[in-house]
Amino acid sequence: MRKNRVHSFTPNPLLKVKLPAGRSRFAMFVMSCAFLALVARAFWLQVWSNDFLKREGEVRFMRTLEMPATRGGITDRNGAILAKSLPARAIFANPSDAQLEPAQVSELSKLLGMPERDLTKRLASDGKTFVYLKRQVDAPEAEKIAALKLPGIHQLPEYKRHYPDGSTIAHVVGFTNVEDAGQEGMELVHQRGLAGHTGARRVMLDRMGNIIEDVGTLREPQDGSDLQLSIDTRIQYHVFDAVRDAVNHHRATAGAAVVLDAKTGEVLALANLPTYDPNERGALSGAQLRNRVMTDTFEPGSTFKPFAISAALEAGIVKPSSMVNCSGKLTIGSASVGDAHGHGTLSVEEVLQKSSNVGTAKIALQLPPQRMWELYNSLGFGQAPEVGFPGAVAGRVRPWKTWKPIEQATMSYGHGISVSLLQLARAYTVFARDGEIIPLTFLKSEQPAVGQRVMKAETARAVRRMLELAAGPGGTAPKAQIPGFSVAGKTGTAHKIEGGRYVARYVSSFVGFAPASNPRVIIAVMIDEPSAGEHYGGTVAAPIFARIASDTMRTLRVTPDIALRAETGSGSKSGPSSGSGAGSLPGSGPGSSPSAGTALAGKTARAPARSRGNA
Amino acid sequence: MTRIDIVITILLVLCSLLLVESQHKNRRAYIELERAQQAEAKLQVQWNQLQLEQSRLTKTSLIAEAAARDLKMQGVVPARTLYLSEPLGAKP
C-alpha cells in the first residue's frame, strides 16, 4: 500500500532517468560560488572599503555650515557706541544667467543706487560668471532686491561697519575696509582683538532641508572682543566743535587739539581738522586722513620754554626770583636772538610770564647741553610715544654733542627742534603732576597712572606757578582764563619752514592744564596757518583752550577752585555763588588783544637752527 | 517557539518602534531648536541695530543742538551755578 503511494508521485517516466551525480554537484558549486561572490562583494562595500559610499551618502544629507562671528564693537569710556558691525549683503551677478528686462534693470539700479548705464555695463561682462554689483548693501535694501527674484542676481552675507559719531572722532577710531579689516586708527591697531573668527559645523539635513542633527563642531566661532576707549564723546564733541569753529574763524588750513587726563594718562579727546566721515569712504584724501596730533611735527615755539627753565631751576643755576637782563638782543656768533618788545630786567618767573626769548636763551646757555638734552629725552621728545598708534612720529631732537651755542639758545624757546602735539601735551604732565611723567593710553583705565620722576616736585610746582602767571592777566595768554577755575599754560607761535627757510606762515599753539591748583586735564591746541589777521598763540589758540577747558570742567563736574569775579556773579562766603549775565566766557571769542603775546622777534639767523618766533 | 521567545520578540518590536518614534521626536525638537536659534540671531541683529540707532540719536551734538534750539537752554557756567558748602561734620 505504502509502496503504491510512492509510485503515484512519479508518474513521469523521464524522472526515473538517473542523471550523473557530478552535474548536480557542479551546479551546486557554481551557485555557491556566486553567492560567495555576492557576500564578498557586500563585505567589501560595506565593511572593508566603505569610504566612497559613505562619502556619497553624506553628500546627500550632510552639510558643513559656517557659523558667523562678528567684529567687536568700539565704545567710548561711558559705553557709547563708536563703531559696530551689522549684517549686510554683497549683491553679485552671474552675467550669463542675468538676462533682465529693461524694467527689471531700472528697478534694480534704483535699489542699488547706481546708474542704469553702469549696471547694464556690469551685467554685460562677457565670459565672467561672477561680477559684484554692489557690496555692503544694508539688509532692508538687500531683502527688497531678493524679493524681485531676478535671474542670475545673487547675494552673499557680509558685515558693514557703522560709525555713529562720524567725522567727530574719525582719527581715533579709524575705519575698516569692505573685508572688515582695520585700515586706520584703533581699528587697525587692535585688528587682531577686534576681528572675529568664523566657525564651522557638520549637520544632517532631512529631505526638506531642515537641520535634524548636529554631527559636530569643526571650529568654534569666535566673536571679536569689544574695545573700550578712554575717549569721552561728550568732551570730544566740545573739543571738535571748538577746533572747527576756530579753523573756520581764522581761515586756518588745519587744527588739532588733545585732552589728557592728568591722573590716569588717558586721552579723553583728540580732534583733527580737516577730517572725514568713516561711513563714506569713497573719496578720502591724505590731508583728511592725517592725524595731526600724532603724525605732524612742528617747531613748538614758546610752549617749549618751560622745559629749559625747569632744567635750570632743577640744576640750581637760577631761582624763580633770580633776575635776568632781557633788554636788547642776545648776539651769539653771527646770529642774534631778540624779543619784539624790550623787557628790561625780569625775574625768571617773569621771563616765562612775558615769554622772553632773550631771557630764556640766557638761562638756557648757563646749562650744560647734555643736561638740557637729558631732560628733553626723559620727557619723550625725539622718541615716538608708545601709544600703539600707527604713524606716531618721534620728532627731532639732535644729539647734544652736535649742538652749537646758538642752537642751544634757539632750542630753549622751541626752535630748531620738532615735536608732535601729543608729545608736547604729555611732556606737560611733569608740571601737572609735580615732576612725574606718565605713559598715555587710548584705552579706558581705572587705575591711576604710575609716573616716572623727571624733576623735583618743588621745581615742577615753581614752573606751574609761572605757567599760571603766563595764562594770567599779565602774561601772554589772558584769554586762556575761565571763570571759576585757575588755569596754567603757555602760548606758542612759530614760523613754518618751507624749503629750509622760515616763511610768514605760522603755527599757533597753546598747552595748559586746569584747574592749576590740582590739575585734572591737560589740553594742547594747535592751529595751522591762521590767515584771518591774527596768528599769535595768545589770540588764536588760548581762547580755544579756554573754551575746551571750561566745557571739560563742566562735563567732568570738577568743583571750581577760585571765587568768581564780581561781574560774573555775586560771591558768597561759601565760595562761588549764583549770578547772572555771565553768558560768555572771557576769552571764549577769538578777539584780539594788544596785551596778548609778544610779537615775533629776532632776525633770522644764518645758523642751521634759525632763531625766530615767540608768543 | 516557546512562550518566552514570543514575549521577547514582541518586546523587541516594541522597543524598535519606540526607538524610531523617539528619534523622530528628537529630530522635530532639533528643528525647533534651530529655528529658535535663528530667531535669537535675528533678535541679536535687531538689538545691535537698535543700540546703534540709540547711539545715533543720543549724539552729544544732536542733544546740544536740540536743547539750544527747541528748549532754549544754555550751557551751565560756574557764574550761574549755586555751589553749596557741606555743613561741618556732615557725612557723605
Side-chain angles (χ1 to χ4, degrees):
Chain A
M1 184 79 182
R2 201 172 172 183
K3 211 173 182 179
N4 288 344
R5 208 177 285 164
V6 171
H7 280 285
S8 66
F9 281 110
T10 55
N12 193 334
L14 283 175
L15 292 175
K16 289 180 183 172
V17 178
K18 288 273 183 186
L19 290 172
R23 282 179 67 177
S24 65
R25 278 198 207 104
F26 177 74
M28 184 69 177
F29 173 75
V30 169
M31 285 173 74
S32 299
C33 282
F35 272 107
L36 271 175
L38 283 176
V39 168
R41 177 69 179 157
F43 182 80
W44 174 257
L45 288 176
Q46 293 188 23
V47 180
W48 200 254
S49 175
N50 58 0
D51 290 349
F52 172 77
L53 287 178
K54 262 190 176 173
R55 208 165 46 238
E56 285 300 307
E58 280 181 4
V59 165
R60 280 151 183 80
F61 63 89
M62 299 287 275
R63 291 283 182 281
T64 301
L65 294 186
E66 191 176 82
M67 300 164 84
T70 47
R71 186 178 175 86
I74 300 179
T75 64
D76 85 336
R77 62 184 305 106
N78 304 312
I81 293 168
L82 299 176
K84 200 161 191 77
S85 292
L86 286 181
R89 297 267 162 180
I91 313 290
F92 72 94
N94 182 347
S96 54
D97 293 346
Q99 306 299 330
L100 305 184
E101 301 291 325
Q104 289 176 318
V105 173
S106 166
E107 203 165 359
L108 183 60
S109 74
K110 270 184 211 154
L111 286 170
L112 288 173
M114 64 193 290
E116 255 181 70
R117 204 173 43 186
D118 288 2
L119 182 59
T120 316
K121 207 170 158 187
R122 288 199 186 192
L123 290 175
S125 309
D126 286 336
K128 288 186 181 171
T129 54
F130 185 98
V131 177
Y132 273 124
L133 297 181
K134 193 173 181 184
R135 299 200 63 178
Q136 307 224 316
V137 177
D138 288 327
E141 276 74 39
E143 276 165 25
K144 281 182 200 165
I145 293 169
L148 295 176
K149 294 186 177 161
L150 301 174
I153 308 294
H154 309 284
Q155 305 193 357
L156 282 174
E158 60 181 4
Y159 283 94
K160 185 177 178 182
R161 201 80 166 150
H162 296 262
Y163 302 93
D165 274 83
S167 55
T168 315
I169 186 81
H171 290 97
V172 176
V173 177
F175 58 86
T176 57
N177 61 9
V178 284
E179 306 295 345
D180 226 18
Q183 299 294 294
E184 285 282 343
M186 299 311 273
E187 292 274 33
L188 175 61
V189 177
H190 293 277
Q191 165 65 17
R192 193 175 284 184
L194 284 167
H197 299 286
T198 52
R201 61 176 182 151
R202 293 285 286 167
V203 293
M204 198 184 282
L205 303 180
D206 66 5
R207 67 189 177 84
M208 307 294 285
N210 294 315
I211 298 171
I212 51 167
E213 205 174 313
D214 200 340
V215 179
T217 305
L218 303 177
R219 213 168 48 238
E220 285 288 346
Q222 229 179 345
D223 281 339
S225 354
D226 288 342
L227 194 65
Q228 190 164 30
L229 302 186
S230 58
I231 299 289
D232 187 323
T233 43
R234 298 168 304 168
I235 299 174
Q236 177 71 25
Y237 158 71
H238 294 306
V239 173
F240 181 79
D241 230 28
V243 175
R244 187 186 53 200
D245 289 353
V247 166
N248 290 339
H249 182 86
H250 295 287
R251 294 204 293 272
T253 54
V258 59
V259 179
L260 306 180
D261 189 314
K263 309 283 181 204
T264 59
E266 292 168 289
V267 179
L268 296 176
L270 187 155
N272 276 289
L273 260 293
T275 183
Y276 61 93
D277 185 354
N279 296 300
E280 302 293 335
R281 302 183 286 267
L284 293 178
S285 70
Q288 283 176 301
L289 288 173
R290 254 159 68 190
N291 186 344
R292 290 159 200 276
V293 173
M294 274 180 275
T295 61
D296 275 19
T297 58
F298 61 102
E299 290 200 341
S302 301
T303 49
F304 221 61
K305 284 176 183 163
F307 304 119
I309 289 175
S310 63
L313 288 172
E314 183 79 355
I317 293 168
V318 290
K319 288 180 184 160
S321 57
S322 306
M323 301 309 282
V324 184
N325 181 10
C326 303
S327 55
K329 286 184 178 175
L330 173 67
T331 306
I332 306 166
S334 59
S336 64
V337 175
D339 289 319
H341 309 289
H343 289 299
T345 302
L346 299 174
S347 67
V348 171
E349 233 170 26
E350 287 168 328
V351 164
L352 200 59
Q353 183 186 10
K354 308 282 182 197
S355 197
S356 166
N357 290 343
V358 175
T360 312
K362 280 186 176 173
I363 294 167
L365 286 173
Q366 296 177 55
L367 277 167
Q370 187 179 357
R371 189 131 193 177
M372 246 171 92
W373 181 87
E374 278 170 1
L375 178 69
Y376 292 165
N377 189 53
S378 60
L379 292 172
F381 297 117
Q383 308 144 40
E386 289 173 8
V387 285
F389 220 88
V393 290
R396 181 165 169 264
V397 181
R398 288 182 298 107
W400 63 272
K401 280 184 181 168
T402 66
W403 290 6
K404 293 172 186 160
I406 179 65
E407 289 166 349
Q408 187 179 350
T410 57
M411 242 180 263
S412 71
Y413 57 86
H415 288 260
I417 196 165
S418 69
V419 302
S420 70
L421 196 64
L422 192 73
Q423 282 179 318
L424 204 52
R426 179 179 172 239
Y428 267 65
T429 58
V430 289
F431 306 127
R433 291 177 58 95
D434 290 346
E436 278 185 352
I437 190 157
I438 50 172
L440 303 184
T441 176
F442 277 90
L443 301 181
K444 189 179 178 182
S445 151
E446 301 289 356
Q447 302 298 320
V450 180
Q452 188 190 345
R453 184 153 295 282
V454 173
M455 61 180 72
K456 291 198 284 276
E458 50 264 41
T459 308
R461 278 200 285 266
V463 178
R464 194 155 84 210
R465 170 76 194 136
M466 295 177 202
L467 291 173
E468 213 174 329
L469 291 172
T476 54
K479 292 190 172 202
Q481 291 285 306
I482 56 172
F485 297 94
S486 56
V487 295
K490 187 75 197 74
T491 54
T493 310
H495 278 264
K496 292 187 81 171
I497 303 175
E498 270 184 20
R501 295 184 65 84
Y502 285 99
V503 291
R505 288 203 289 274
Y506 309 88
V507 176
S508 306
S509 54
F510 189 93
V511 189
F513 38 87
S517 57
N518 180 20
R520 180 67 209 279
V521 291
I522 296 164
I523 301 165
V525 182
M526 184 261 280
I527 299 293
D528 193 9
E529 293 187 25
S531 59
E534 291 160 338
H535 59 263
Y536 295 124
T539 49
V540 174
I544 308 169
F545 165 86
R547 184 171 158 183
I548 294 172
S550 174
D551 287 331
T552 306
M553 292 294 103
R554 191 181 74 237
T555 307
L556 295 177
R557 296 178 186 173
V558 180
T559 312
D561 66 336
I562 55 171
L564 293 165
R565 289 180 308 190
E567 69 266 28
T568 56
S570 58
S572 73
K573 282 180 186 174
S574 61
S577 182
S578 64
S580 61
S584 66
L585 306 176
S588 63
S592 64
S593 163
S595 66
T598 47
L600 286 156
K603 281 186 179 176
T604 304
R606 263 178 244 122
R610 282 142 288 222
S611 64
R612 265 228 170 184
N614 176 354
Chain B
M1 199 179 266
T2 59
R3 197 175 299 159
I4 189 81
D5 290 342
I6 294 167
V7 171
I8 288 172
T9 308
I10 291 170
L11 272 176
L12 180 70
V13 171
L14 209 63
C15 284
S16 307
L17 289 173
L18 283 173
L19 176 70
V20 171
E21 170 68 9
S22 65
Q23 187 88 353
H24 181 65
K25 275 186 178 170
N26 175 41
R27 290 182 172 185
R28 294 285 293 270
Y30 197 83
I31 291 168
E32 285 299 310
L33 175 69
E34 274 296 314
R35 282 187 187 146
Q37 281 173 341
Q38 277 172 16
E40 186 201 5
K42 268 190 182 171
L43 288 172
Q44 186 65 42
V45 169
Q46 273 182 22
W47 168 238
N48 286 341
Q49 275 169 340
L50 289 170
Q51 277 184 317
L52 200 60
E53 197 61 26
Q54 187 195 26
S55 271
R56 279 202 189 104
L57 295 173
T58 54
K59 266 166 72 170
T60 315
S61 55
L62 283 182
I63 292 173
E65 203 182 307
R69 193 190 55 223
D70 304 335
L71 304 173
K72 312 284 180 226
M73 293 172 89
Q74 292 178 6
V76 178
V77 290
R80 284 205 309 267
T81 310
L82 176 63
Y83 292 92
L84 300 175
S85 293
E86 214 173 348
L88 285 172
K91 286 181 182 173

